[in-house]
Structures are given as structure tokens and as C-alpha cells.
Amino acid sequence: MQTSTWHFHPRPIPTLLLLLLLPPLFTWLGFWQLDRAEQKRNLASTMEARRKLPPLLLSSQPVSAENLEFRTLTVSGRFIPALQRLIANRKHLGKPGFHVITPLRIEGSNRHLLVNRGWVAAVNNQPPVIDTPTELVTLSGETNRPSPPAIELQFDLNNPAPWPFLTLDNYRVWSGLDILPFIILQSPDSPYGFVRSWAQARPGKGMHLGYAIQWFTFGLLSLVLWLRLSLSRLSSWVTAQENQ
């Protein structure tokens, strides 16, 4: 008669990989995703609170981009049409077009604020004529810090063609202006703008929570796999007399 017993015998390589390396790594990744979820939760709370605040009058005083992010500002100044730039490959309702970025010299100051005045449609795949006033204007809009795409390709800043994307550093180098560390997305009810249908982004934490569960599950599975590989079955034969 054959009998078998389980013998616990950890093997060096599986122990190294499945116990000492993978579970700590997966656990760290899980807590990192939980931390990212908490950051998104805090960011969403900040966005909601600041968007409920009344418009803030922007003056010549020093300002902080971090403290003003997502705030609606009101500012007076004069546009500089000569330093206006268009941003290509912007669509509205499926139609190709451009975003109009115009610098505004703040009244009573030598500093400038970039204003995204909205979307204009392409005319035969070319930019249309942009009407830009030069008299004193008062505008309002929500602050925004533009960022480059994930893959930032270099391009000629001095080329008169529309830029593929906007960054404050690129514009500062090209124009030589002293600009504030953010732009404003001009409000729909503010004058001298174009189509302004800004998406109200709200950071989501769900994706990060899902990733955290995934990494913790991987850590648990690696531990279970290590236990299974550390067990071996030993078989033996016994006679009927021995069983009596």
C-alpha cells in the first residue's frame, strides 16, 4: 500500500524570487498606487474648492502659480498682436482648428499674461485672420499651467507656422517677455474671445485604486506560489501487516 506525506523544503531560487523579491516589490507598488489615489483625491478637492471662489483681481503684485491654480482671475491690460501664437491640431466638434494664444500686458506693470482666447476653425487647412484689439481690455478666465505632450518633439520656435503645442518656457524663449507662470483659459462670457468650451477635468482615483488591488494580488499570488513550490510529496510503501 502506497502512502504519501508533504515535506516543506524551500528551494533557493524560488525563495529568492517569490519570497524575498517579488512580494516586497508588489507591496511597494500597491502602496505607491494608494498614495497616487490620495494625491488625486486631494487635487480634486482643491479644484472644486477653488472653482467655487469668486474671481480674483490680478494686479502687478507677485503671484504664485501653485496658489492660484484653478482660480478664476480678472485682469486688465492690452493685447500684443505681434507676439500672438496659434497652436495647431486643436479640434472642436470634430472640426480642425487652432487655439489662439495672445499675450496681455498687465495694466500698470511690465509683466505679461498669456491668454488662451479659444478655438478658431481652419480655413482650407490654414489659420484664419485673427482680430485682436489693442485698446485697454478687461478679461477673466481660469488659470492653467500648460504642459508638453508625453513625447516632446523639438520644433523651430521662430517658424511663423502654428506651434504643435504650448509651453511657457518655449514662449518665454521665443518672445523675450516677462510672463507669469501660468496662462488663463478665457471665460465664455469674457469679450474678444473665440469658441471657449473648456473641459472641466476632475482627477479620478479609481484607476489607481484598481492598480493597487492588482499589485497586492500579485504579491499574494507570488507568496502562494512559493509555498506550493516549497512543498514536495514523499511516497512510501507499507505492508498490510504494518497497518494492523
Side-chain angles (χ1 to χ4, degrees), residues 103-195:
L104 182 82
R105 181 172 180 175
I106 302 172
E107 183 70 3
S109 171
N110 289 323
R111 304 200 73 183
H112 299 77
L113 171 67
L114 294 187
V115 181
N116 188 333
R117 298 167 63 197
W119 177 89
V120 293
V123 178
N124 296 324
N125 295 323
Q126 297 298 320
V129 176
I130 305 297
D131 182 25
T132 302
T134 56
E135 66 269 16
L136 182 66
V137 298
T138 299
L139 308 172
S140 64
E142 182 178 303
T143 62
N144 177 268
R145 288 192 280 181
S147 57
I151 301 178
E152 183 178 356
L153 301 177
Q154 299 298 318
F155 62 94
D156 184 4
L157 298 179
N158 294 313
N159 191 323
W163 287 357
F165 58 86
L166 171 70
T167 67
L168 296 176
D169 287 339
N170 282 346
Y171 187 88
R172 187 180 292 110
V173 169
W174 171 76
S175 67
L177 295 179
D178 180 13
I179 59 175
L180 295 181
F182 53 81
I183 71 172
I184 65 168
L185 306 177
Q186 192 174 348
S187 301
D189 57 353
S190 192
Y192 310 112
F194 304 99
V195 177

